[in-house]
Amino acid sequence: MDHEPVIENSELKTCFKALDSVWDVFKDNYGETEASISNEDFVTETDGLIEDRIVRCIKDDYQNTSFLSEEMYKKSTDDGIESDTEVQWIIDPIDGTINYFRGSLPAGISIFAEVDGELQSGVIGLPNQDTVFYSVKGHGTYMNETQVECSDKTNISNSVVDMQFGESRIEIDGYTDTVNRLSRQARQIVCSRTGVYDFCMISDGRLDAAINLETNPWDVAGAYLLVNEAGGQVTDRKGRTDWRSVKKGDAVASNGGIHEDLIKDF
């Protein structure tokens, strides 16, 4: 990996170090790995390999720390997702697993640091596009070495919206009216099958909004920090803006200008 952060931050530096340790593993196994179904979601052997390397790399810098991640350190909201250590690392080793094992773009890696319960810094790596997006709270969002901003759209009729639902499909019927409304109102509805990619695209203005429902903290950490720092807005479906609410299951991310219209039917 040829990228270095332009923001000085100790946790972000560790995020980049961990991402660099798995960059080539991700690229080498892209489209070459088999997937199985675990807990109603797709998983590959590469997921576990990447997550293990990330965790070991972080532990080199932070011994007294904890992890919240998709494979080995998964916790449910019933178990409690708050950390008992100062720093908790939220990791998604491969987001967009279906795309990844089928050799279809996009797919990415997400590594974020939560300090004293608040999301503070992190990086999303898109190795097959040789691109990283990263943020530190209060310092903006960057794509590689360039600071980026959300689009300035204020009308859904001119906006492109991505919609994704959790793998369980438990409550999809309850969202039918919202899906139908947005399908009629938005310029275009898309589905990349990769949440972290959507959040990157919102951050640099190529996508105007993304709705991700019935998710997990590792699915939405990138949305919360990257999009907010790029001038957008991230809430849960009820409009709550705090990280504790968003990480418990839903993320509606937008450029900010169309946000109220997005969530008005939930």
Side-chain angles (χ1 to χ4, degrees):
M1 186 177 79
D2 296 327
H3 304 293
E4 295 289 339
V6 299
I7 310 171
E8 289 293 329
N9 175 271
S10 58
E11 286 85 18
L12 183 63
K13 183 177 180 180
T14 295
C15 288
F16 265 75
K17 176 183 170 184
L19 179 62
D20 184 56
S21 74
V22 297
W23 190 266
D24 289 338
V25 175
F26 184 100
K27 294 180 71 172
D28 291 345
N29 289 280
Y30 174 72
E32 301 294 333
T33 187
E34 294 296 325
S36 59
I37 296 179
S38 175
N39 296 323
E40 300 182 324
D41 203 356
F42 285 97
V43 63
T44 72
E45 290 185 2
T46 311
D47 283 89
L49 174 61
I50 288 177
E51 183 172 292
D52 180 62
R53 289 196 181 188
I54 290 172
V55 167
R56 286 191 285 114
C57 188
I58 290 172
K59 284 183 174 179
D60 287 342
D61 293 346
Y62 292 82
Q63 289 76 42
N64 181 29
T65 196
S66 59
F67 299 91
L68 185 59
S69 60
E70 187 168 24
E71 306 306 328
M72 295 178 288
Y73 298 90
K74 184 178 289 187
K75 303 174 186 176
S76 72
T77 53
D78 293 333
D79 296 331
I81 55 178
E82 305 305 328
S83 173
D84 57 1
T85 62
E86 179 183 1
V87 183
Q88 176 169 249
W89 305 86
I90 302 176
I91 303 165
D92 194 343
I94 300 176
D95 188 60
T97 303
I98 294 176
N99 291 349
Y100 184 78
F101 77 79
R102 290 186 173 180
S104 172
L105 292 174
I109 304 165
S110 178
I111 310 169
F112 282 80
E114 186 185 72
V115 181
D116 292 330
E118 295 295 332
L119 210 57
Q120 294 292 332
S121 61
V123 61
I124 289 174
L126 305 171
N128 289 322
Q129 291 147 283
D130 192 33
T131 301
V132 293
F133 282 79
Y134 56 95
S135 293
V136 173
K137 188 174 181 179
H139 294 276
T141 295
Y142 288 78
M143 180 185 72
N144 297 340
E145 289 74 40
T146 303
Q147 190 167 3
V148 294
E149 295 181 349
C150 296
S151 73
D152 59 0
K153 298 287 192 303
T154 58
N155 195 316
I156 286 185
S157 65
N158 294 324
S159 301
V160 179
V161 180
D162 188 288
M163 298 191 71
Q164 298 190 53
F165 297 91
E167 295 294 332
S168 69
R169 310 293 200 272
I170 292 173
E171 298 183 26
I172 286 183
D173 288 345
Y175 306 133
T176 302
D177 289 345
T178 298
V179 173
N180 288 339
R181 176 180 66 84
L182 291 176
S183 296
R184 292 192 302 269
Q185 292 182 344
R187 184 175 184 87
Q188 188 175 26
I189 298 292
V190 298
C191 181
S192 72
R193 304 194 300 259
T194 306
V196 298
Y197 178 79
D198 297 339
F199 309 144
C200 293
M201 296 303 99
I202 295 171
S203 297
D204 77 355
R206 283 181 278 177
L207 183 67
D208 303 304
I211 298 174
N212 285 251
L213 304 177
E214 296 183 33
T215 59
N216 298 289
W218 47 86
D219 298 315
V220 298
Y224 195 80
L225 192 60
L226 294 180
V227 174
N228 276 320
E229 286 296 318
Q233 186 174 1
V234 183
T235 69
D236 68 1
R237 59 184 168 180
K238 299 300 183 182
R240 292 172 292 205
T241 61
D242 62 292
W243 168 232
R244 286 176 176 81
S245 294
V246 173
K247 76 176 180 178
K248 289 182 179 179
D250 300 312
V252 181
S254 79
N255 66 350
I258 62 172
H259 203 87
E260 291 303 316
D261 284 338
L262 284 175
I263 64 174
K264 68 180 181 182
D265 288 342
F266 284 118

